Amino acid sequence: MSGISTTQFSKYNAKIAKNRATSEPAWVRWTLIAAALLYLSLFLFMPLAAVFTEALRKGVDTYISALVDADALSAMKLTFIAALIAVPLNLVFGVAAAWAIAKFEFKGKSILITLIDLPFAVSPVIAGLIYVLIFGLQGWFGQWLSDHDLKVIFAIPGIVLATIFVTFPFVARELIPLMQAQGKDEEEAALVLGASGWQILWRVTLPNIKWGLLYGVILTNARAMGEFGAVSVVSGHIRGLTNTMPLHVEILYNEYNYAAAFAAASVLALLALVTLVLKSIVEWYAARSARAIEQN
Amino acid sequence: MSKKHNNVLPGFNLSLGFTIFYLSLIVLIPLSAAFIKTSTLSLHEFWVAVASPRVVASYKLTFGASLIGASINALFGLLTAWVLTRYTFPGKRIIDALVDLPFALPTAVAGIALTAIYAPNGWIGSLLAPHGIKVAFTPIGIVIALTFIGLPFVVRTVQPILEDLEAETEEAAASLGANRWQTFTKIIFPAIAPALLTGFSLAFARAIGEYGSVIFIAGNMPMVSEITPLIIITKLEQYDYAGATAVAVVMLVISFILLLGINGLQWWNSRRNSRAI
């Protein structure tokens, strides 16, 4: 998913499309395009359209009242809180991990990279389960927590922890290949000119990786706000208290309150569309700055 | 990389130390809890938890549906990547950006949207219902949901490789008398095969653990349409923590093996591509 490289628009198209020997007949082209569009329609476009159609089925008034409902608002608030904590923490981690991995050689580096990827391989349900095993009533710290009247599971800290887990690798994964490709010449030059470590980080490294960083943050945020499985295990589904937006959608849907469920879902779908737009913009800037570096 | 032994940059201990500390705190220690919890079970108890008929049925369903979903995505993802890199048609850039929607759309939203379409009264479900075909609330619905969440993987792994292919090799094949189909099977396909396999494996690995998009459309009938992540949730809700964790450990081990395989594939992939240039 190295998104940034995919936008380097193909020099190839122009060269090959004009050449009859290396292109297909028109009927083949249009059949293939039609097949691809049919596949994308069945699995992408129709679900997206369905969200908004179902949300507005009972009229705009029902739609708006579903969104300004107190439980919906508190779910939105909790979703933002979880993302607001998870994103900065994973951002700092991503920069630290990429600095260590890209700028230095050490034993076990490839193992470390694999371990950072681990949360992607773990089912969201299991991500929630492991925190229940540690902080739940029967868990390692369950007794201690209840003695001190603290709650992690079925409370906000559990939701934040599960969110951090499922979004853990995003920033690091974007930054490691980017910083490895950039090398360390600029940092070494800054050091020779008398910059301190933090000055190098702020003035040299971060400006160089800003697009990759932003890209990682956008992906982290989207996943943080949309996570369902992991959060569902640790949340306890207490209305107005431990419900995030995706959980709120589930509860309404299971109560057969479809219009309200799809209204809440449409907010998340809009968020997803905004994410895709931002992502495309960042990819465009990243490709432009990569081209600018190549030309120098 | 030449002067790795006299690296002068500061911050190695701090950044690596923080990385390992945070990784342990958030990922490694919590994951080890699953293995420690399972080790409190006797071998017999473990076997009963992970190999009861209902759990075995869920493995078959989860892996079968994931395999079919990933295969659909391999075929149509390749087609989509091809169409997006080679042809021009109206709306192409928007469609290209929308391919990533399953990464950005919350799984619960995807789940209820797919159910709305494929339910017997939905846009597609109502077309299929008169022919006696039920999609939602059957294993077919699970395949649909797993196809949705795996859709971007193959497109996004194959697309950059297709873009970077040298036009000259195809021109050479054409001038040596190969037709387009021969060029595709003998020249293009071998070049993109590792990427295709990587994308397929990523989609498969993602599908195995998927929960949110599936539970709405699956119907969740024990032995018929109950996926393994749901088994874990059900056991948890019955306060059978050890049983839930035992099934989780089986899934974790399978996922780790897949992750190692995918890392190997990506390494192979990048080595092939760097050699080609």
Side-chain angles (χ1 to χ4, degrees):
Chain A
M1 285 171 290
S2 52
I4 282 173
S5 63
T6 61
T7 45
Q8 292 165 358
F9 276 100
S10 156
K11 54 191 181 225
Y12 184 92
N13 271 337
K15 191 169 177 183
I16 210 146
K18 291 183 197 119
N19 190 336
R20 267 182 55 210
T22 50
S23 187
E24 292 76 32
W27 69 269
V28 175
R29 282 204 305 271
W30 287 105
T31 311
L32 293 179
I33 290 172
L37 288 181
L38 180 70
Y39 160 72
L40 293 176
S41 304
L42 284 178
F43 290 104
L44 273 192
F45 308 144
M46 285 179 82
L48 190 61
V51 172
F52 294 101
T53 318
E54 294 288 329
L56 292 166
R57 177 163 289 198
K58 294 241 170 92
V60 179
D61 292 341
T62 322
Y63 180 77
I64 290 170
S65 67
L67 293 185
V68 297
D69 174 70
D71 289 340
L73 290 177
S74 88
M76 280 183 215
K77 198 174 131 196
L78 182 55
T79 300
F80 283 117
I81 291 173
L84 218 57
I85 300 172
V87 174
L89 282 175
N90 284 339
L91 170 68
V92 171
F93 162 74
V95 173
W99 180 270
I101 288 168
K103 307 288 179 195
F104 301 93
E105 295 299 320
F106 55 90
K107 271 199 185 130
K109 190 196 260 191
S110 57
I111 297 173
L112 182 63
I113 296 175
T114 305
L115 289 177
I116 289 174
D117 271 350
L118 261 186
F120 277 160
V122 173
S123 170
V125 169
I126 298 174
L129 167 74
I130 56 180
Y131 291 109
V132 173
L133 293 178
I134 293 178
F135 299 109
L137 260 184
Q138 315 290 323
W140 293 354
F141 301 117
Q143 193 58 48
W144 186 88
L145 286 169
S146 75
D147 288 348
H148 292 77
D149 214 17
L150 295 170
K151 267 190 109 166
V152 174
I153 300 304
F154 304 150
I156 295 172
I159 292 173
V160 172
L161 275 174
T163 306
I164 293 174
F165 183 94
V166 294
T167 56
F168 186 87
F170 281 108
V171 176
R173 270 191 85 127
E174 281 307 317
L175 291 188
I176 291 168
L178 183 64
M179 281 169 70
Q180 277 176 331
Q182 288 177 347
K184 53 191 180 189
D185 297 349
E186 290 188 33
E187 280 82 0
E188 282 170 350
L191 191 76
V192 170
L193 294 171
S196 74
W198 292 110
Q199 281 175 325
I200 295 174
L201 181 68
W202 281 108
R203 306 241 176 114
V204 179
T205 307
L206 286 181
N208 276 340
I209 60 171
K210 63 176 184 259
W211 296 118
L213 197 71
L214 195 56
Y215 191 86
V217 165
I218 291 168
L219 294 182
T220 308
N221 184 61
R223 182 73 196 265
M225 290 191 170
E227 178 52 28
F228 177 75
V231 171
S232 159
V233 174
V234 296
S235 135
H237 299 86
I238 308 163
R239 279 197 168 187
L241 284 178
T242 63
N243 254 355
T244 61
M245 275 302 267
L247 298 178
H248 186 63
V249 170
E250 184 202 16
I251 289 191
L252 293 170
Y253 189 85
N254 287 341
E255 288 173 347
Y256 304 103
N257 191 351
Y258 294 137
F262 277 100
S266 74
V267 175
L268 291 168
L270 274 180
L271 212 65
L273 290 177
V274 170
T275 300
L276 293 185
V277 171
L278 289 176
K279 199 168 142 292
S280 301
I281 294 172
V282 169
E283 281 171 348
W284 185 79
Y285 274 109
R288 200 180 65 160
S289 73
R291 271 200 304 275
I293 290 165
E294 259 173 41
Q295 279 161 8
N296 283 341
Chain B
M1 295 294 148
S2 55
K3 22 175 200 173
K4 58 184 165 189
H5 291 298
N6 50 3
N7 198 326
V8 289
L9 287 178
F12 176 66
N13 289 333
L14 178 65
S15 59
L16 188 66
F18 177 73
T19 300
I20 290 172
F21 168 74
Y22 189 75
L23 179 71
S24 308
L25 201 67
I26 299 290
V27 179
L28 300 183
I29 295 171
L31 277 179
S32 71
F35 290 90
I36 292 167
K37 179 82 182 173
T38 304
S39 67
T40 62
L41 291 173
S42 74
L43 205 60
H44 178 71
E45 288 169 322
F46 178 76
W47 187 249
V48 169
V50 303
S52 73
R54 188 170 158 188
V55 179
V56 170
S58 84
Y59 298 143
K60 284 183 188 158
L61 175 67
T62 305
F63 286 94
S66 301
L67 204 62
I68 299 173
S71 306
I72 295 173
N73 279 326
L75 180 64
F76 286 94
L78 171 60
L79 178 67
T80 305
W82 177 270
V83 164
L84 286 175
T85 44
R86 296 291 172 113
Y87 305 147
T88 49
F89 53 92
K92 183 171 122 167
R93 302 230 0 219
I94 293 172
I95 289 168
D96 193 355
L98 272 178
V99 165
D100 284 329
L101 184 73
F103 287 155
L105 193 71
T107 51
V109 177
I112 64 170
L114 289 168
T115 311
I117 297 171
Y118 290 94
N121 59 351
W123 292 340
I124 297 175
S126 63
L127 299 177
L128 298 174
H131 304 284
I133 304 169
K134 262 192 88 181
V135 176
F137 318 122
T138 70
I140 305 174
I142 299 176
V143 171
I144 302 263
L146 296 180
T147 306
F148 172 85
I149 52 122
L151 191 145
F153 288 105
V154 170
V155 182
R156 291 306 185 226
T157 46
V158 172
Q159 205 175 10
I161 311 291
L162 272 179
E163 280 172 3
D164 289 344
L165 277 183
E166 295 292 331
E168 282 77 4
T169 40
E170 284 174 54
E171 286 164 0
S175 66
L176 291 170
N179 63 31
R180 279 307 281 164
W181 180 247
Q182 286 171 324
T183 308
F184 179 78
T185 52
K186 302 244 163 88
I187 307 288
I188 301 173
F189 189 78
I192 56 178
L196 187 64
L197 196 57
T198 306
F200 170 84
S201 315
L202 286 169
F204 180 68
R206 171 74 208 268
I208 287 174
E210 177 58 18
Y211 172 71
S213 60
V214 174
I215 51 158
F216 295 99
I217 201 169
N220 305 326
M221 295 263 299
M223 306 296 293
V224 178
S225 57
E226 190 180 42
I227 53 166
T228 310
L230 182 64
I231 295 257
I232 296 174
I233 297 251
T234 312
K235 283 182 186 279
L236 264 182
E237 281 170 355
Q238 295 161 347
Y239 301 103
D240 179 9
Y241 290 103
T245 312
V247 177
V249 161
V250 170
M251 299 223 21
L252 278 176
V253 169
I254 294 168
S255 302
F256 294 166
I257 294 169
L258 273 171
L259 177 68
L260 287 178
I262 291 167
N263 277 3
L265 266 176
Q266 278 170 337
W267 175 80
W268 180 44
N269 200 353
S270 65
R271 208 183 52 150
R272 265 181 73 125
N273 283 317
S274 60
R275 205 174 45 192
I277 297 163

